[in-house]
Amino acid sequence: MTKEITNATIKSFSEKLSNKPGADVVKRTIMKNGILASSQNMDSQIAMDQTFSVEIDTGDVANQKQSGRCWMFAALNTMRHPLQANFKLKGFELSQNYINFWDKFEKSNWFYENIINTAALPLGDRKVDFLLTTPQQDGGQWDMLVALIQKYGLVPKSVMPETYSSSKSNELNSQLNLKLRKDAITLRKLVNDGNDETVVEAKKDELLEEVYRMLVFTLGTPPTKFDFEYRDDDKEYHRYADLTPQSFFQKFVGWNLDDYVSIINSPQSDKPFNHTYTVEFLGNVVNGRQVKHLNLEVEELKRLAVTQLQAGETVWFGSDVGQSSERQLGIMDTEYYKKDELFDVDFSMTKAERLDYAESLMTHAMVITGVDLVNGKPTKWKVENSWGDKVGKKGYFVMSDEWFSQFVYQVVINKQFLADAEKTTYETEEPKVLAPWDPMGALAL
């Protein structure tokens, strides 16, 4: 059934709007000031005062600049928080560029392997199209970060600092994706022409060598051994010689990364709670740590986050940061914009509906560093962002509890804080494999 718009229909709509009280006032306001400014709710700004009953002092924020590496910054921030306190290193940062180098190198190999494994599928197949749409990008998830650290370790930012292409990644991403798509032509042809596996792998190694060259030229050479010297906050001098990235990680961070697991909240019908999930094609390190999520009710995510904060640990989390968010003030609150009232239109959707109908997905990772508890219940959360200190309160944002309910999709929790049944499920259940385009496979940028 099809029905066109007629002049009579338009006339009817116009007359109804002309008779609507206050319509002209709203029209003039929006035309002059735009939707966001016209729908701002000052009550939200007052309610989102940055005072918290539980708060971890984490120092100055970092700045990912014009790159999509929030997941790296957020993860390395959770690790540097105790490092700064334990070693008296105020303002210290781990090298985001070091992890960025190996991530892009590993993602290139991951792409090549997936192209080889799907070579029998025709161009136009949805899975092939998915791979070719974005061969690699800056974004990622927690388990991908863990896979990189377990293989390559970490280094201080002073040992491998930022470069033009790490801080402003568009040029590198564009050129690298051009190369990867071109290489896909070569690899698919080799496979489909019936070449032996050793021939295909040898060609892949040639292509990877070219990727390595591109990354060294743009991001620098990752150190394999280095000296680390510094003066601590008490002005005492320290020097550690002949460190490797792995020995540095063990000495200065010392986490058992297997203790930290991804907990998601996806109330979609195809993902029952209290079960585990992974996503096809999602990852970076071949034979590295698998991306694995335990899906729980959102109130359980909050309980786990509060428990970890009270134990003195910050919380990595992924959310849809662009929803109901005011960047300059650093406010994330479902009440900040009253767009429904402005247009007299019901824009409400459930969290599941937003995921099912492509209205929302995880877009950004940050760190929860505090919470305000009233009668034992969270009302608002303190958030460390990685957008520099010119936004929010010196880079820190405040998130309302309802915003957490609606737009937080993932938290990373130490397994010790899980209920026994949750821990058993995570450790023993084989995860259901979701489609590559599932919203739980979204990469935080």
Side-chain angles (χ1 to χ4, degrees):
M1 173 182 169
T2 57
K3 183 179 179 181
E4 66 175 290
I5 296 174
T6 66
N7 289 333
T9 301
I10 297 171
K11 182 179 180 182
S12 172
F13 292 167
S14 179
E15 289 175 351
K16 287 180 180 179
L17 182 57
S18 296
N19 294 327
K20 188 176 183 64
D24 284 343
V25 175
V26 175
K27 173 185 169 183
R28 290 193 297 270
T29 299
I30 299 176
M31 288 179 68
K32 174 65 176 177
N33 302 296
I35 296 172
L36 297 183
S38 300
S39 62
Q40 281 182 348
N41 173 23
M42 291 299 293
D43 291 341
S44 168
Q45 187 173 337
I46 296 169
M48 291 298 102
D49 172 66
Q50 290 215 21
T51 304
F52 306 92
S53 59
V54 178
E55 190 171 5
I56 300 172
D57 182 10
T58 51
D60 296 338
V61 300
N63 192 345
Q64 68 187 79
K65 298 185 178 178
Q66 297 179 53
S67 71
R69 298 172 293 158
C70 66
W71 60 294
M72 294 179 187
F73 275 73
L76 297 185
N77 284 341
T78 63
M79 295 175 192
R80 77 179 174 117
H81 295 154
L83 189 159
Q84 289 178 128
N86 294 338
F87 292 89
K88 300 180 180 179
L89 278 172
K90 185 179 180 180
F92 174 83
E93 286 188 50
L94 295 160
S95 174
Q96 300 92 0
N97 188 31
Y98 176 79
I99 287 294
N100 184 45
F101 181 102
W102 292 120
D103 179 57
K104 290 196 175 298
F105 188 59
E106 289 285 351
K107 278 178 179 171
S108 297
N109 184 55
W110 184 272
F111 173 77
Y112 289 149
E113 290 292 327
N114 283 320
I115 285 296
I116 292 168
N117 292 334
T118 59
L121 298 176
L123 293 173
D125 180 271
R126 190 173 182 185
K127 289 186 178 181
V128 177
D129 286 351
F130 177 85
L131 292 171
L132 295 175
T133 296
T134 311
Q136 66 78 44
Q137 59 170 296
D138 289 349
Q141 290 200 3
W142 173 264
D143 288 318
M144 295 164 66
L145 187 284
V146 170
L148 292 168
I149 296 177
Q150 289 178 332
K151 185 171 182 177
Y152 295 105
L154 288 175
V155 302
K157 189 171 185 176
S158 59
V159 172
M160 190 168 179
E162 293 289 293
T163 69
Y164 178 93
S165 292
S166 67
S167 297
K168 190 175 182 180
S169 59
N170 182 63
E171 291 179 16
L172 173 57
N173 282 332
S174 178
Q175 205 63 34
L176 183 53
N177 283 335
L178 167 61
K179 172 177 170 48
L180 295 177
R181 291 188 182 102
K182 181 179 184 297
D183 294 345
I185 301 171
T186 301
L187 293 173
R188 281 176 59 88
K189 189 174 188 307
L190 283 174
V191 174
N192 290 323
D193 285 349
N195 284 279
D196 185 82
E197 182 178 321
T198 57
V199 174
V200 177
E201 287 299 315
K203 187 61 180 180
K204 190 197 79 169
D205 285 346
E206 287 182 30
L207 302 175
L208 267 176
E209 183 181 359
E210 294 174 346
V211 170
Y212 183 85
R213 182 193 314 147
M214 291 176 65
L215 294 176
V216 168
F217 286 174
T218 53
L219 302 176
T221 304
T224 56
K225 189 169 283 190
F226 59 94
D227 298 337
F228 180 45
E229 56 183 353
Y230 63 91
R231 287 193 180 275
D232 64 24
D233 297 339
D234 296 330
K235 307 303 180 184
E236 292 187 18
Y237 173 79
H238 302 265
R239 185 175 187 274
Y240 297 86
D242 294 330
L243 290 170
T244 66
Q246 288 288 6
S247 66
F248 174 84
F249 173 78
Q250 293 302 326
K251 169 69 178 177
F252 286 90
V253 179
W255 285 15
N256 179 359
L257 292 171
D258 290 331
D259 287 342
Y260 291 85
V261 299
S262 168
I263 311 297
I264 61 170
N265 174 244
S266 175
Q268 296 169 280
S269 60
D270 66 333
K271 301 180 189 68
F273 290 123
N274 303 305
H275 290 285
T276 59
Y277 302 88
T278 189
V279 182
E280 187 177 7
F281 296 155
L282 182 61
N284 53 356
V285 178
V286 174
N287 296 325
R289 174 153 155 171
Q290 179 189 40
V291 173
K292 185 176 182 180
H293 306 306
L294 174 62
N295 193 22
L296 300 177
E297 298 271 7
V298 73
E299 293 305 316
E300 182 63 2
L301 267 70
K302 295 177 185 178
R303 182 194 72 79
L304 290 167
V306 168
T307 302
Q308 188 156 300
L309 288 169
Q310 290 175 327
E313 287 194 60
T314 56
V315 180
W316 186 104
F317 78 105
S319 66
D320 189 356
V321 72
Q323 300 271 7
S324 299
S325 177
E326 210 295 318
R327 179 188 181 109
Q328 200 57 42
L329 294 176
I331 294 174
M332 299 179 292
D333 181 20
T334 54
E335 295 298 305
Y336 191 81
Y337 295 111
K338 294 287 192 177
K339 300 173 190 175
D340 298 64
E341 295 179 6
L342 186 68
F343 288 106
D344 192 21
V345 173
D346 182 5
F347 293 112
S348 63
M349 300 172 73
T350 66
K351 193 172 189 176
E353 288 168 343
R354 283 192 293 270
L355 290 168
D356 286 336
Y357 286 85
E359 171 55 26
S360 183
L361 75 172
M362 186 174 74
T363 61
H364 188 56
M366 297 175 283
V367 184
I368 300 174
T369 64
V371 62
D372 199 30
L373 299 175
V374 177
N375 298 322
K377 298 291 185 181
T379 60
K380 57 188 176 182
W381 305 75
K382 184 179 181 181
V383 173
E384 179 184 7
N385 207 339
S386 55
W387 292 345
D389 60 5
K390 304 302 185 202
V391 294
K393 186 176 180 180
K394 295 186 177 179
Y396 285 88
F397 282 39
V398 58
M399 168 175 63
S400 72
D401 189 62
E402 182 58 21
W403 198 95
F404 188 123
S405 295
Q406 296 300 323
F407 300 114
V408 169
Y409 294 111
Q410 182 180 13
V411 296
V412 169
I413 298 296
N414 191 312
K415 285 191 294 187
Q416 68 175 307
F417 302 122
L418 297 178
D420 290 342
E422 295 168 349
K423 185 177 180 181
T424 299
T425 297
Y426 181 87
E427 292 180 336
T428 64
E429 184 177 85
E430 187 68 23
K432 175 183 176 181
V433 180
L434 304 173
W437 41 85
D438 189 275
M440 290 302 106
L443 300 183
L445 295 165

